[in-house]
Amino acid sequence: MSNSNQTLKIAIIGCGGIANGKHMPSLAKQPNAQMVAFCDIVKERAEKAAEEFGAEGAKVYTDFHELLKDESIDVIHVCTPNDSHSEISVASLEAGKHVMCEKPMAKTAAQAQEMVDAAKRTGKKLTIGYQNRYRNDSQYLKQLCEAGELGDIYLGKALAIRRRAVPTWGVFLDEEKQGGGPLIDIGTHALDLTLWLMDNYKPKSVLGSTFHKLGHRENAANAFGPWDPEQFKVEDSAFGFITMENGATIILESSWALNVVETGEAKTILAGTEGGADMKDGLRINGEKLSRLYDTNIDLNAGGVAFYSGAAENEADLEQRLWLDAILEDKEPVVKPEQAFVVTQILEAIYESAKTGKAVYFE
């Protein structure tokens, strides 16, 4: 396909929070996208989505296998709980559809590998919904890193720290469906961002720890209202120490509930031989010039913003536009499946290490 005038017919599988919060509103703004089918195990959710975002005559399903029989559908967006990401994505690729799957790629590295293999085998495009790469600060910092402004980046800190913001809806607290708590939910974004900026996807070893210290509390203070301690089956915080084959080190910190005052989500701190960067308060670059240290805040509001229909694009809109462009222009998506696979591999290793108390080494 290389016809940019073509309209892509898109189906949404899983019509819950992330589909309503990100995918469908952003797809609705794309001139070359039409949402023609909606699937959810709760039929009313699919019907509501079809009514709000569907093209005329949009179809509603409760079984994704039935939806995949429709040969007119070009693209599938998988917005279901983590444990079904791989099964649905592989089936969709095998059915000849391009797939955007919500993050994390899968619950396990083995499932993620099946997705990578299916994309290669079918020649269809597969991408994962890591929208934080599309933020202004991320895009600018990526350009700096690619231009060598930070030199050889040998330390990264991936931060996804909430003080008290445990999601109390959906299946977030269900280990069976999600595969974990804050690490696999928000830690995954911070890790993806850090690996991408460092352009380093060769892990050597991982040491991890997870804690379930605050989840047992009754009537806990929480941004989304108190959680049910009986339902809280996942960790409330998790940490990883990752060494890469070239000697670079990444420290990953994630929490939904942790007694800290300084918080930040999907943020990274980088240190290289020529300079450093952090996203603590906007984007800040530091270094040394003429034997003096400096740090500078980048003004991301002054120009350089991608404009679309006379208004600045937010990261979710940019994510969808570039994804559809990748299909229509037959080029690689911004988030490559092989990159997302490494994220899942590292997350799984942190959980494994936390369980055994030993470091996990990669072949």
Side-chain angles (χ1 to χ4, degrees):
M1 287 192 215
S2 63
N3 178 9
S4 54
N5 297 325
Q6 186 190 343
T7 298
L8 292 167
K9 290 187 165 33
I10 299 172
I12 308 291
I13 299 180
C15 301
I18 197 70
N20 282 282
K22 180 178 85 159
H23 292 255
M24 299 189 297
S26 290
L27 283 169
K29 296 178 192 171
Q30 308 305 322
N32 49 9
Q34 245 190 358
M35 287 174 269
V36 299
F38 300 84
C39 180
D40 197 286
I41 50 172
V42 178
K43 196 178 183 191
E44 291 73 30
R45 276 202 297 238
E47 286 170 344
K48 183 175 176 290
E51 202 175 303
E52 201 173 335
F53 296 103
E56 202 177 324
K59 294 187 178 131
V60 167
Y61 299 85
T62 52
D63 180 352
F64 75 87
H65 296 101
E66 289 301 312
L67 180 152
L68 292 179
K69 291 176 184 168
D70 184 343
E71 288 178 10
S72 71
I73 294 167
D74 304 302
V75 186
I76 303 286
H77 280 229
V78 180
C79 305
T80 58
N82 301 346
D83 65 343
S84 59
H85 283 185
S86 181
E87 182 197 355
I88 298 171
S89 296
V90 170
S92 301
L93 292 161
E94 300 280 11
K97 322 295 188 195
H98 302 289
V99 175
M100 172 177 273
C101 178
E102 195 36 56
K103 62 80 205 165
M105 188 167 190
K107 196 172 126 176
T108 67
Q111 290 173 347
Q113 184 66 60
E114 286 171 13
M115 294 165 72
V116 172
D117 294 344
K120 282 198 180 118
R121 194 167 59 241
T122 59
K124 292 295 165 184
K125 297 194 191 304
L126 168 65
T127 195
I128 308 300
Y130 283 118
Q131 75 270 9
N132 289 287
R133 291 193 191 189
Y134 304 89
R135 297 186 332 229
N136 281 346
D137 56 349
S138 308
Q139 291 277 316
Y140 187 84
L141 183 50
K142 179 67 173 169
Q143 288 175 37
L144 285 182
C145 292
E146 285 181 339
E149 292 285 323
L150 304 189
D152 172 27
I153 304 168
Y154 56 89
L155 176 68
K157 282 185 103 172
L159 304 170
I161 297 288
R162 295 179 185 172
R163 184 180 179 182
R164 289 289 188 283
V166 177
T168 51
W169 63 91
V171 294
F172 283 103
L173 304 179
D174 182 335
E175 187 172 18
E176 193 49 44
K177 288 204 167 3
Q178 288 296 93
L183 180 65
I184 202 166
D185 176 42
I186 54 176
T188 191
H189 275 302
L191 180 58
D192 173 72
L193 196 56
T194 304
L195 293 171
W196 178 63
L197 290 164
M198 292 173 79
D199 192 23
N200 192 341
Y201 288 95
K202 293 187 171 167
K204 183 181 165 188
S205 69
V206 168
L207 193 60
S209 52
T210 60
F211 297 98
H212 192 148
K213 298 283 191 187
L214 306 178
H216 305 299
R217 306 269 162 113
E218 298 273 355
N219 298 317
N222 190 42
F224 308 115
W227 58 78
D228 178 354
E230 292 293 306
Q231 301 292 320
F232 207 132
K233 305 289 187 202
V234 294
E235 81 276 3
D236 42 46
S237 61
F239 308 90
F241 188 87
I242 304 141
T243 51
M244 309 302 278
E245 280 181 13
N246 70 346
T249 294
I250 296 171
I251 296 158
L252 172 57
E253 303 177 12
S254 66
S255 70
W256 281 339
L258 189 69
N259 288 324
V260 290
V261 177
E262 285 213 357
T263 59
E265 237 175 276
K267 291 187 185 295
T268 193
I269 299 172
L270 302 174
T273 49
E274 303 308 311
D278 67 69
M279 296 170 160
K280 210 166 181 179
D281 189 14
L283 178 59
R284 189 168 53 174
I285 310 297
N286 70 75
E288 180 186 350
K289 268 199 182 121
L290 305 174
S291 307
R292 299 282 181 180
L293 297 175
Y294 73 87
D295 53 78
T296 184
N297 281 73
I298 307 295
D299 181 359
L300 292 161
N301 297 317
V305 179
F307 283 89
Y308 167 65
S309 299
E313 246 178 335
N314 66 31
E315 59 256 32
D317 297 351
L318 182 59
E319 175 184 46
Q320 300 306 336
R321 177 165 68 80
L322 294 178
W323 161 234
L324 299 177
D325 284 353
I327 297 169
L328 293 166
E329 294 164 22
D330 193 19
K331 56 190 185 190
E332 280 203 290
V334 174
V335 180
K336 301 178 182 69
E338 294 80 5
Q339 296 171 336
F341 167 74
V342 175
V343 176
T344 295
Q345 209 181 14
I346 292 172
L347 297 178
E348 183 177 79
I350 292 173
Y351 283 126
E352 177 67 22
S353 170
K355 239 180 242 155
T356 61
K358 296 179 179 146
V360 172
Y361 293 89
F362 298 96
E363 301 286 305

